[in-house]
Amino acid sequence: ELELDRNRRAFIHVARGSIAVNETRLNAGDGVKVSAGGQIVLQHGRDAEVIVFDVPAGPPPPKRKSTPRLKSK
C-alpha cells in the first residue's frame, strides 16, 4: 500500500509479471495514472516488478476556447 498526498499524482508501470492496482489487473507493459490522492493498493502480484512515479499535481490544464462554427451556404 502507498499513500498519495492530494497534491500529488502517480504513474504506475508494470515492468514484469502482473499485479492489481486498486483492483484493476495490470500485466507486463501496462501502466495506469492515479490522479486522485489517497491510498494506492498493490495486490495479487505474480512475479511483478513495478515502477512508481510520484509527481506533483501541477496546475489544472487551461480551459479550451470554443471557436464559432462557420455557417455553410
Side-chain angles (χ1 to χ4, degrees):
E1 294 182 14
L2 304 169
E3 189 67 32
L4 189 63
D5 289 339
R6 66 183 195 134
N7 62 342
R8 306 289 294 177
R9 302 295 177 257
F11 297 91
I12 301 170
H13 177 78
V14 181
R16 187 175 79 176
S18 65
I19 195 164
V21 177
N22 291 347
E23 299 183 12
T24 299
R25 172 62 62 186
L26 300 175
N27 296 305
D30 291 341
V32 66
K33 176 176 88 170
V34 180
S35 58
Q39 196 172 50
I40 300 172
V41 180
L42 306 173
Q43 57 189 8
H44 307 298
R46 290 190 173 164
D47 297 322
E49 289 184 17
V50 297
I51 302 169
V52 179
F53 299 92
D54 180 353
V55 297
K63 292 187 178 182
R64 294 179 63 180
K65 294 181 181 178
S66 60
T67 56
R69 295 181 180 233
L70 298 175
K71 294 182 181 179
S72 44
K73 295 182 180 182

